[in-house]
Amino acid sequence: MDNPLIYVAVIGAIIVLAIFLPRWIRRSTDAAGGRAGRRYATDRLTGILAELGTTLVLHTSEATAREVVDGVVLQQPRKFARLGGGGYGIRFIEQDDAIVRLVDDEDGVRLEVERVREHLGVPNTSEFWADLRAAVSTAARAEGIAVSPGRPIHHRRDTATGVWVPE
């Protein structure tokens, strides 16, 4: 081990590693972080869309169902609003960030999300939709109306407007 060439080679290897290793580590961690972020965003979006696709069937006439939903919407004006045309708005920023409608169903009337506007890259009204469904379900049962889950609907994103609509 008297040969200085071995020491020079080891020192040279350490210098080369010190130059290139941080860049390689940074690139690989950035790539791994990007993959994890995309996976998280996809999982979150899947959960949000599943929640927004959940429907509620009220086993009654449309007029009775509308009275029940109107009562719930009027109790929470910061979250919900009655809109023209028989729809209901769920507010995240604006009163029509999500539009909910009563639709005829073979078992009665189905309450479903018709359209959702996204803010910050994702629809943000899924929690309010869950609150509305729960409140309508509770109010309907208090009135003696049977309630059951409806068929789920799937939403797709209109890329031109950033609005999610049923498929």
Side-chain angles (χ1 to χ4, degrees):
M1 295 285 286
D2 297 351
N3 192 348
L5 189 58
I6 293 177
Y7 294 118
V8 170
V10 169
I11 292 172
I14 290 173
I15 291 173
V16 168
L17 282 175
I19 292 172
F20 292 114
L21 194 60
R23 291 181 190 157
W24 178 79
I25 290 172
R26 190 175 324 114
R27 275 195 311 267
S28 65
T29 55
D30 286 348
R35 284 190 306 272
R38 284 188 297 277
R39 199 169 35 249
Y40 172 76
T42 300
D43 291 346
R44 183 170 177 246
L45 182 61
T46 301
I48 288 171
L49 291 177
E51 184 68 37
L52 290 172
T54 304
T55 61
L56 183 69
V57 175
L58 303 169
H59 300 275
T60 187
S61 67
E62 183 177 349
T64 307
R66 189 161 302 282
E67 287 176 17
V68 170
V69 177
D70 283 348
V72 169
V73 167
L74 291 175
Q75 288 176 358
Q76 300 181 31
R78 287 187 171 193
K79 287 184 181 179
F80 313 118
R82 281 194 319 193
L83 303 176
Y88 300 96
I90 299 177
R91 179 188 314 262
F92 180 70
I93 295 175
E94 298 177 24
Q95 72 178 2
D96 64 344
D97 285 333
I99 295 178
V100 176
R101 294 229 184 258
L102 289 170
V103 180
D104 287 333
D105 190 77
E106 59 269 359
D107 297 327
V109 181
R110 185 175 61 242
L111 185 65
E112 67 182 26
V113 174
E114 178 182 80
R115 166 181 84 72
V116 181
R117 185 181 305 135
E118 68 180 33
H119 294 284
L120 305 173
V122 295
N124 294 295
T125 54
S126 62
E127 291 179 24
F128 296 146
W129 169 235
D131 293 346
L132 179 62
R133 275 193 342 263
V136 166
S137 179
T138 302
R141 287 191 176 110
E143 295 287 325
I145 300 169
V147 177
S148 65
R151 68 170 178 82
I153 58 173
H154 301 283
H155 292 87
R156 67 172 173 75
R157 185 176 187 272
D158 180 6
T159 55
T161 60
V163 173
W164 293 81
V165 294
E167 290 185 320

